[in-house]
Amino acid sequence: METLSLPMLVDHLRRLLGLSYRDLANLAEIPAPSNIREWVRGLPSRLSSERQRRVLAAVGIESRTGALCPGIHRWRMTGETLRLLPSLLETFSAPHATLSLARPQKEQGLFARSALLLSWDDVRVILLSDGTPETEPASLVRHIPGAVPTARETLLSGEEMTLLEDPALSPERLDALMRQGSQTTGAWTFERLFERLWAEGIEPAEAARRLGF
């Protein structure tokens, strides 16, 4: 597994947060985005220690420990950022995280706004799908080091699902949502069946062939 340097770690998180270098520079109050870009590329003199501290805080890293800050982190999964996930979680010692799946109570298509929650210590990471099959939870689990597929799912109302992206949501409220929501039995449904087929890369025609159709 790739060992990430601090600048590379910052750049991975920048991409998972959906930030451009300019966005990150604005958050860290740094006039020139190019300074961050060049620091990431291996020119440490481009950022002073104080500016590095502000960049780390902007992407959710504690400057003292190099760990994720306590609280909720929201990472947006796309086909491009998916490959960044394993090394990032290894760096943050997250293989022992607890996995939970949040689904809307009323499905709106096969891949409707579900999210995967990783919890360890006082850190919560919400992995938000972009709606494509490869970033749905059944697929995401395969990119999490040490994880095994989990049947534990929580059904949330539309309003509760919206809360997952609310910056004001606290870890305590998030944990309560996941405890109080309706728990599924783990029984298969057509939606879950199709998710798993996509996750395993099995085309419908291949599934039909295996079943003798």
Side-chain angles (χ1 to χ4, degrees):
M1 185 70 67
E2 176 187 9
T3 300
L4 298 178
S5 64
L6 188 59
M8 190 58 65
L9 188 61
V10 167
D11 203 49
H12 277 29
L13 286 171
R14 174 188 68 81
R15 295 171 64 184
L16 283 163
L17 293 168
L19 300 174
S20 67
Y21 283 113
R22 183 171 298 279
D23 294 333
L24 182 53
N26 289 337
L27 288 173
E29 299 180 348
I30 295 174
S34 60
N35 287 349
I36 300 178
R37 186 184 302 110
E38 291 170 5
W39 176 70
V40 165
R41 292 176 178 174
L43 297 175
S45 62
R46 302 305 295 172
L47 288 183
S48 66
S49 297
E50 171 58 24
R51 287 185 170 183
Q52 288 183 34
R53 185 191 64 78
R54 296 205 300 266
V55 167
L56 293 176
V59 296
I61 298 177
E62 288 188 320
S63 59
R64 182 177 60 85
T65 64
L68 281 179
C69 295
I72 297 175
H73 303 259
R74 295 172 178 84
W75 297 348
R76 301 188 178 279
M77 307 310 304
T78 67
E80 292 185 357
T81 61
L82 192 59
R83 63 183 179 82
L84 307 178
L85 195 59
S87 58
L88 198 58
L89 293 176
E90 284 279 10
T91 300
F92 290 127
S93 301
H96 304 298
T98 299
L99 274 63
S100 304
L101 172 61
R103 287 185 183 277
Q105 289 177 349
K106 295 182 179 179
E107 292 289 351
Q108 301 173 2
L110 292 180
F111 307 105
R113 290 182 56 205
S114 55
L116 195 63
L117 171 65
L118 281 68
S119 305
W120 71 94
D121 302 327
D122 49 6
V123 172
R124 305 290 180 269
V125 177
I126 301 175
L127 302 179
L128 298 167
S129 168
D130 67 356
T132 58
E134 63 184 335
T135 64
E136 283 302 306
S139 296
L140 287 178
V141 169
R142 299 168 58 201
H143 296 270
I144 297 174
V148 295
T150 175
R152 185 181 184 280
E153 301 177 358
T154 300
L155 301 181
L156 302 178
S157 68
E159 181 180 354
E160 290 169 335
M161 290 297 298
T162 301
L163 279 177
L164 297 182
E165 300 194 50
D166 185 349
L169 181 66
S170 68
E172 294 76 18
R173 175 61 173 143
L174 174 60
D175 291 346
L177 278 176
M178 297 303 290
R179 287 195 302 267
Q180 295 169 8
S182 303
Q183 303 297 316
T184 70
T185 63
W188 71 271
T189 63
F190 283 111
E191 287 81 8
R192 295 178 66 193
L193 174 61
F194 279 110
E195 273 194 354
R196 181 53 57 85
L197 288 175
W198 279 111
E200 299 297 332
I202 301 174
E203 296 290 337
E206 173 62 15
R209 186 190 67 77
R210 294 184 188 185
L211 292 173
F213 292 161

